[in-house]
Amino acid sequence: MLLILFSLSLFTLSFSQSNSLSLPFPLSLTEKPSNITPLYYSSQLYVKKPSSHGPFKLPFKYSSSALVVSLPIGTPPQPTDLVLDTGSQLSWIQCHDKKVKKRLPPLPKPKTATFDPSLSSSFSLLPCNHPICKPRIPDFTLPTSCDQNRLCHYSYFYADGTLAEGNLVREKFTFSNSLSTPPVILGCAQGSTENRGILGMNHGRLSFISQAKISKFSYCVPSRTGPNPTGLFYLGDNPNSSKFKYVTMLTFPESQSSPNLDPLAYTLPMKAIKIAGKRLNIPPAAFKPDAGGSGQTMIDSGSDLTYLVDEAYEKVKEEVVRLVGAMMKKGYVYAAVADMCFDAGVTVEVGRRIGDMSFEFDNGVEIFVGRGEGVLTEVEKGVKCVGIGRSGRLGIGSNIIGTVHQQNMWVEYDLANKRVGFGGAECSRLK
C-alpha cells in the first residue's frame, strides 16, 4: 500500500485478494497533532515510568496475502486485527459503536466487528476545529471534512477497490499495565468494504510509528504455502539484528512535490536484478527516481506482488521467455498486471529452469529468492505466475518490493539510522 496521489480512475481496476495493493489518498497535515503528551519515552514505546522494558513482540498471520497483526487498542484493551502496512500513513480501525454517527450514504458494515469505542475510557472523537480538519493544501483529492455532527470526517480509497470512511479519533494502544502509547490519531471506520483495519507504518507524521515515537520495527514473513503461515513482529530492537545486512534508504523532503514520488515511502537504492545468477541488462536509471519521481524503488508490506516499471519488467520477461517461454500460459494476464504465468502441471519444471532470482541493492545487500514458491506464486487454482507485475498498469512509475519477495527473511526498518536491514530466517518456526 503506497501513499501516492494519482488519478481517481485507477480505482475502477478490479483486483483479487491475492493481489492486494492499496494506494490511498493521504490526509492533509499542516500542523503537528496537538495535545499529545508522552508519559515517558524509551527507545521502544512510551511507558508510564522508567523501567527496563525490552521490545514488544507478537505474532502475526500471513492471511489472504496480508500481514495481519492483532493489537490491543483502548482501555481496557480490545484485540483488534490490523493489516501491517509500511506503504501508508493513516491507521484506521473498524468501529461499531452506535453512538458514532455514520455519514450518508452508508457503506456496508464489516462482517465482523472489531472495536467498540463505547467500551473504552480512553477513546475520543476529533472535532472539526482540530488542525487536521483544516486542510490547506489545495490539490488533495479527498481532504478531511466536517460532518453534520461537527466531527472530523475522513475517506480513504485504495487501488483494490477498498473504501473506508468514518471519523478521526484519538485512542491509545495498551500493551500492558506499564507499556502503552499516548493517544494516537486514527480513523474509526463505520463503513468499509473490508473486515480489518490498517496499521499505517510509513514515516509520515500521522503514521502509527511516528505518533508513538517508535524508531525501529521489524517483521519476518513466513511462506504462505507452509503449514504454519505465522510470522513475528517486533516494535523496538530485534535480538537478531547483529546478523542483518543493512542498506541506507534514500530520503526526500516531505514537502517535495513530484507527480510520481512518494516521499513518505521506504525507498531503497536498487541496483540490479539477477535470474539464475545472470545480471539482467536493465539500465540503472530504471531503479532511480528521476525529476518526476519515476523509478523510485520502495519496499512495502502492504503489497503482495512485486511491481516493476515497464523497462525493467520487459527485461525480466525477456529472460523468462528465453528460459521457459514454450511453457507459458498463452494469452493469460493476471489482474491486468502479470503475464508470466503457467499452468500448475508444468511449474515444477519451470521453477527448475528459471532457478534463483535476486534483487541487488547498495552495499552488496541482496534479497535472494529461491526456487519454487519464491519465484512462482499461485494466483488462482491451477495457475502460478512469476510474482512480478507491471507498475505502469497501476498508473504509477515505481518499483515496489512486495511480500511475495519478502518471505523467510527479517525486514527491519531502522528510522533513526535511515536504513533497512535484511536477514534470512525460517519465519514460521520463530517464537
Side-chain angles (χ1 to χ4, degrees):
M1 300 181 187
L2 304 172
L3 205 57
I4 299 174
L5 293 172
F6 61 104
S7 169
L8 187 61
S9 64
L10 175 60
F11 298 115
T12 62
L13 292 173
S14 175
F15 294 88
S16 73
Q17 280 190 330
S18 59
N19 185 30
S20 59
L21 177 68
S22 323
L23 297 93
F25 290 110
L27 295 171
S28 170
L29 181 65
T30 55
E31 299 178 30
K32 292 183 178 180
S34 60
N35 301 321
I36 295 181
T37 304
L39 298 170
Y40 177 81
Y41 180 63
S42 75
S43 61
Q44 282 78 43
L45 292 170
Y46 287 98
V47 295
K48 293 183 179 179
K49 58 184 178 180
S51 69
S52 58
H53 285 284
F56 185 77
K57 176 182 71 172
L58 72 166
F60 66 84
K61 291 288 186 180
Y62 194 12
S63 174
S64 301
S65 305
L67 311 185
V68 182
V69 61
S70 181
L71 290 180
I73 302 178
T75 308
Q78 302 175 43
T80 306
D81 284 350
L82 302 172
V83 174
L84 176 61
D85 183 15
T86 61
S88 66
Q89 180 171 190
L90 179 73
S91 298
W92 55 270
I93 56 179
Q94 297 285 359
C95 292
H96 63 104
D97 183 7
K98 294 179 181 179
K99 296 178 182 178
V100 180
K101 304 297 183 182
K102 292 183 290 185
R103 184 178 182 178
L104 297 175
L107 289 168
K109 290 184 178 180
K111 295 178 182 178
T112 55
T114 55
F115 183 81
D116 187 346
S118 67
L119 301 179
S120 174
S121 62
S122 52
F123 179 89
S124 63
L125 292 153
L126 258 66
C128 285
N129 61 3
H130 191 280
I132 292 175
C133 238
K134 298 178 179 180
R136 299 183 179 91
I137 301 176
D139 60 350
F140 275 94
T141 306
L142 292 174
T144 53
S145 61
C146 190
D147 71 11
Q148 59 188 0
N149 300 306
R150 303 298 298 168
L151 298 173
C152 191
H153 180 270
Y154 79 99
S155 297
Y156 245 38
F157 287 88
Y158 296 86
D160 62 0
T162 299
L163 167 62
E165 71 170 336
N167 292 109
L168 290 182
V169 303
R170 292 173 67 186
E171 184 58 285
K172 67 178 182 177
F173 291 67
T174 306
F175 297 100
S176 70
N177 289 334
S178 59
L179 187 63
S180 67
T181 70
V184 300
I185 294 172
L186 305 167
C188 182
Q190 291 89 53
S192 174
T193 53
E194 288 295 323
N195 295 330
R196 299 174 296 229
I198 295 290
L199 186 68
M201 298 288 280
N202 74 11
H203 48 83
R205 286 174 288 176
L206 270 183
S207 73
F208 171 72
I209 54 170
S210 293
Q211 293 190 70
K213 305 299 181 186
I214 298 167
S215 61
K216 187 183 294 184
F217 67 95
S218 55
Y219 55 76
C220 195
V221 181
S223 171
R224 65 202 214 176
T225 60
N228 181 29
T230 301
L232 206 57
F233 176 48
Y234 275 98
L235 291 171
D237 293 330
N238 188 314
N240 304 283
S241 62
S242 62
K243 300 176 183 178
F244 297 169
K245 293 184 178 179
Y246 291 91
V247 58
T248 301
M249 292 187 292
L250 301 179
T251 57
F252 311 92
E254 187 171 341
S255 60
Q256 183 168 337
S257 178
S258 300
N260 295 307
L261 183 73
D262 180 2
L264 304 180
Y266 297 100
T267 303
L268 302 180
M270 190 152 78
K271 295 295 186 183
I273 298 174
K274 291 193 296 189
I275 294 179
K278 175 185 176 182
R279 179 176 287 193
L280 304 183
N281 186 27
I282 303 173
F287 304 128
K288 296 179 180 179
D290 61 18
S294 296
Q296 181 181 14
T297 299
M298 298 164 278
I299 185 163
D300 182 11
S301 68
S303 173
D304 179 31
L305 295 183
T306 287
Y307 292 86
L308 297 175
V309 296
D310 284 349
E311 193 171 16
Y313 186 91
E314 286 297 337
K315 291 297 182 180
V316 171
K317 183 178 179 180
E318 182 181 296
E319 183 64 9
V320 171
V321 168
R322 186 184 72 83
L323 294 170
V324 292
M327 291 183 277
M328 290 178 69
K329 191 172 177 64
K330 306 301 181 186
Y332 180 88
V333 182
Y334 170 64
V337 297
D339 59 1
M340 295 181 282
C341 301
F342 308 86
D343 288 317
V346 300
T347 53
V348 172
E349 178 63 14
V350 168
R352 186 188 68 80
R353 292 193 187 186
I354 293 178
D356 304 319
M357 181 183 296
S358 64
F359 300 89
E360 297 183 1
F361 303 92
D362 275 352
N363 303 329
V365 175
E366 286 188 279
I367 293 178
F368 182 80
V369 182
R371 300 170 187 237
E373 186 65 23
V375 174
L376 299 177
T377 185
E378 186 173 48
V379 296
E380 62 176 270
K381 188 172 179 59
V383 180
K384 291 187 176 184
C385 299
V386 174
I388 299 175
R390 295 178 185 267
S391 61
R393 296 285 177 87
L394 299 175
I396 60 175
S398 306
N399 305 293
I400 306 161
I401 307 298
T403 55
V404 71
H405 292 134
Q406 298 177 45
Q407 294 176 86
N408 288 318
M409 71 169 70
W410 282 109
V411 183
E412 181 184 80
Y413 298 78
D414 183 352
L415 281 74
N417 295 299
K418 298 180 180 179
R419 62 183 187 172
V420 175
F422 300 96
E426 292 189 57
C427 301
S428 61
R429 297 188 178 185
L430 297 172
K431 295 181 179 180

